[in-house]
Amino acid sequence: MIVYLAGRITGDPAYRAKFADAEMVLRELGHTVLNPDVLPPGLEYAAYLLIDEQMLRASDAVCLLPDWKQSAGARQERALAGRLGKKILRYDRIDVTRREQKES
């Protein structure tokens, strides 16, 4: 499944590690991950939103990171995913599943 990551980037100094961890977990589970954190620096905010929207449209699902509600962009992405009929995943639930799989 192609999964787009949605979470807070602006104002979060640890966002790179958070997105990288989520990408790693989802890849370990066999998914193709579209990670907005890999976009180049220096673009206008509106340009990031346009690119992120296209990434989301190309996905099968959106994975909401725990802080997604604290991000206006991630809330917009969640709403768009719902309108497009994308599967909505919660990272906190996926991560728990992953740990349980490794422990068994």
Side-chain angles (χ1 to χ4, degrees), residues 30-75:
H31 301 294
T32 299
V33 180
L34 299 178
N35 182 349
D37 178 42
V38 300
L39 297 175
L43 299 176
E44 296 290 328
Y45 182 74
Y48 286 116
L49 292 179
L50 287 172
I51 295 166
D52 292 347
E53 179 181 330
Q54 294 308 311
M55 291 169 68
L56 176 57
R57 286 179 180 278
S59 73
D60 301 308
V62 62
C63 181
L64 303 173
L65 301 182
D67 59 358
W68 73 274
K69 288 183 181 178
Q70 298 164 350
S71 165
R75 289 192 310 269

Side-chain angles (χ1 to χ4, degrees), residues 81-92:
R83 289 192 305 274
L84 295 173
K86 305 290 183 181
K87 186 171 185 173
I88 309 295
L89 307 173
R90 298 266 316 262
Y91 180 69
D92 52 352

